[in-house]
Short mmCIF file of all heavy atoms in Angstrom, two decimals:
data_model
loop_
_atom_site.label_atom_id
_atom_site.label_comp_id
_atom_site.label_asym_id
_atom_site.label_seq_id
_atom_site.Cartn_x
_atom_site.Cartn_y
_atom_site.Cartn_z
N SER K 139 19.12 33.32 3.12
CA SER K 139 17.93 32.61 3.68
C SER K 139 18.40 31.14 3.88
O SER K 139 19.07 30.55 3.05
CB SER K 139 16.78 32.72 2.78
OG SER K 139 16.23 34.05 2.75
N GLN K 140 18.00 30.59 5.00
CA GLN K 140 18.37 29.17 5.34
C GLN K 140 17.15 28.49 5.92
O GLN K 140 16.40 29.06 6.68
CB GLN K 140 19.49 29.17 6.43
CG GLN K 140 20.85 29.77 5.83
CD GLN K 140 21.76 30.25 6.90
OE1 GLN K 140 22.22 29.46 7.67
NE2 GLN K 140 22.01 31.57 6.96
N TYR K 141 16.95 27.33 5.42
CA TYR K 141 15.79 26.52 5.72
C TYR K 141 16.12 25.15 6.27
O TYR K 141 17.18 24.57 5.77
CB TYR K 141 14.99 26.30 4.37
CG TYR K 141 14.67 27.44 3.60
CD1 TYR K 141 15.55 28.01 2.60
CD2 TYR K 141 13.50 28.20 3.75
CE1 TYR K 141 15.26 29.11 1.81
CE2 TYR K 141 13.20 29.40 3.01
CZ TYR K 141 14.03 29.76 2.03
OH TYR K 141 13.77 30.83 1.27
N ASP K 142 15.39 24.62 7.16
CA ASP K 142 15.66 23.31 7.80
C ASP K 142 14.88 22.27 7.09
O ASP K 142 13.60 22.12 7.23
CB ASP K 142 15.27 23.39 9.25
CG ASP K 142 15.68 22.08 9.99
OD1 ASP K 142 16.06 21.09 9.31
OD2 ASP K 142 15.49 21.99 11.23
N PRO K 143 15.46 21.38 6.26
CA PRO K 143 14.66 20.40 5.50
C PRO K 143 14.03 19.25 6.39
O PRO K 143 13.15 18.61 5.97
CB PRO K 143 15.73 19.85 4.51
CG PRO K 143 17.02 20.04 5.16
CD PRO K 143 16.90 21.37 5.94
N ALA K 144 14.64 19.16 7.57
CA ALA K 144 14.07 18.17 8.57
C ALA K 144 12.90 18.62 9.34
O ALA K 144 12.20 17.78 10.07
CB ALA K 144 15.17 17.73 9.54
N GLU K 145 12.51 19.83 9.14
CA GLU K 145 11.40 20.50 9.92
C GLU K 145 10.45 21.27 8.86
O GLU K 145 10.07 22.33 9.17
CB GLU K 145 11.91 21.43 10.96
CG GLU K 145 12.70 20.81 12.07
CD GLU K 145 11.72 20.10 13.07
OE1 GLU K 145 10.49 20.30 13.01
OE2 GLU K 145 12.26 19.33 13.87
N GLY K 146 10.26 20.64 7.76
CA GLY K 146 9.35 21.23 6.73
C GLY K 146 9.91 22.44 6.04
O GLY K 146 9.16 23.20 5.48
N ALA K 147 11.23 22.57 6.00
CA ALA K 147 11.90 23.70 5.43
C ALA K 147 11.53 24.99 5.98
O ALA K 147 11.48 26.12 5.49
CB ALA K 147 11.68 23.76 3.88
N LYS K 148 11.37 24.92 7.39
CA LYS K 148 11.07 26.20 8.08
C LYS K 148 12.29 27.13 8.02
O LYS K 148 13.44 26.63 7.89
CB LYS K 148 10.72 26.00 9.58
CG LYS K 148 11.91 25.50 10.47
CD LYS K 148 11.43 25.30 11.83
CE LYS K 148 12.62 24.87 12.65
NZ LYS K 148 12.09 24.64 14.10
N VAL K 149 12.09 28.38 8.08
CA VAL K 149 13.17 29.48 8.02
C VAL K 149 13.89 29.56 9.35
O VAL K 149 13.40 29.70 10.35
CB VAL K 149 12.54 30.84 7.61
CG1 VAL K 149 13.69 31.85 7.50
CG2 VAL K 149 11.76 30.76 6.31
N LEU K 150 15.27 29.30 9.16
CA LEU K 150 16.11 29.40 10.34
C LEU K 150 16.84 30.67 10.42
O LEU K 150 17.28 31.24 11.56
CB LEU K 150 17.18 28.26 10.38
CG LEU K 150 16.65 26.84 10.45
CD1 LEU K 150 17.82 25.87 10.40
CD2 LEU K 150 15.90 26.60 11.78
N ALA K 151 17.11 31.27 9.27
CA ALA K 151 17.84 32.55 9.26
C ALA K 151 17.55 33.27 7.86
O ALA K 151 17.18 32.64 6.91
CB ALA K 151 19.31 32.33 9.37
N GLY K 152 17.77 34.55 7.89
CA GLY K 152 17.71 35.27 6.66
C GLY K 152 16.29 35.90 6.49
O GLY K 152 15.45 35.74 7.26
#
Side-chain angles (χ1 to χ4, degrees):
S139 291
Q140 293 158 67
Y141 308 88
D142 184 353
E145 294 283 348
K148 72 178 181 180
V149 179
L150 295 177

